[in-house]
Amino acid sequence: MVPLAWYLLLGVALFVIGAAGVLLRRNILVVLMSLELMLNSVNINFIAFGRQSNDFRGQIFALFVIAITAAEVAVALGILVALVRNKPTLKVDDVTIMKG
């Protein structure tokens, strides 16, 4: 059986990598992938704590997070497709003004 600390260390490592990707990268797609990595690291922690306490609430909460993440990705990719039609770049610094 794998100890809880290993799951937590994996979650922390993935979260730090995702946070670095969000803070340091300028491509919108890389930022979105880093956000997904951060949310998946949180899911690992939910499932690990649920398994530790022999409770299914951590797994249920992780499923809700996955569903919300899927909706977020669908909306974000729709916005990116509309953005690429108007501007040829996906860099965060070049796309600072959005007109409605």
Side-chain angles (χ1 to χ4, degrees):
M1 185 168 169
V2 180
L4 178 66
W6 289 10
Y7 287 114
L8 295 179
L9 286 175
L10 176 65
V12 166
L14 289 177
F15 193 85
V16 167
I17 292 169
V22 168
L23 295 174
L24 299 177
R25 296 294 180 168
R26 293 295 159 213
N27 190 343
I28 295 175
L29 287 175
V30 174
V31 170
L32 285 174
M33 287 191 301
S34 298
L35 284 172
E36 297 296 321
L37 190 63
M38 290 170 67
L39 288 170
N40 284 331
S41 70
V42 171
N43 283 338
I44 289 173
N45 288 334
F46 280 145
I47 292 172
F49 281 122
R51 183 177 173 210
Q52 180 72 20
S53 63
N54 292 327
D55 194 7
F56 287 111
R57 283 185 271 184
Q59 294 174 2
I60 293 170
F61 206 164
L63 285 175
F64 282 124
V65 170
I66 290 170
I68 291 170
T69 303
E72 175 232 343
V73 166
V75 170
L77 288 178
I79 291 171
L80 284 178
V81 167
L83 187 65
V84 168
R85 287 184 183 176
N86 292 329
K87 295 191 177 197
T89 184
L90 287 178
K91 293 189 178 184
V92 177
D93 295 334
D94 296 340
V95 189
T96 55
I97 299 174
M98 294 185 72
K99 297 180 182 177

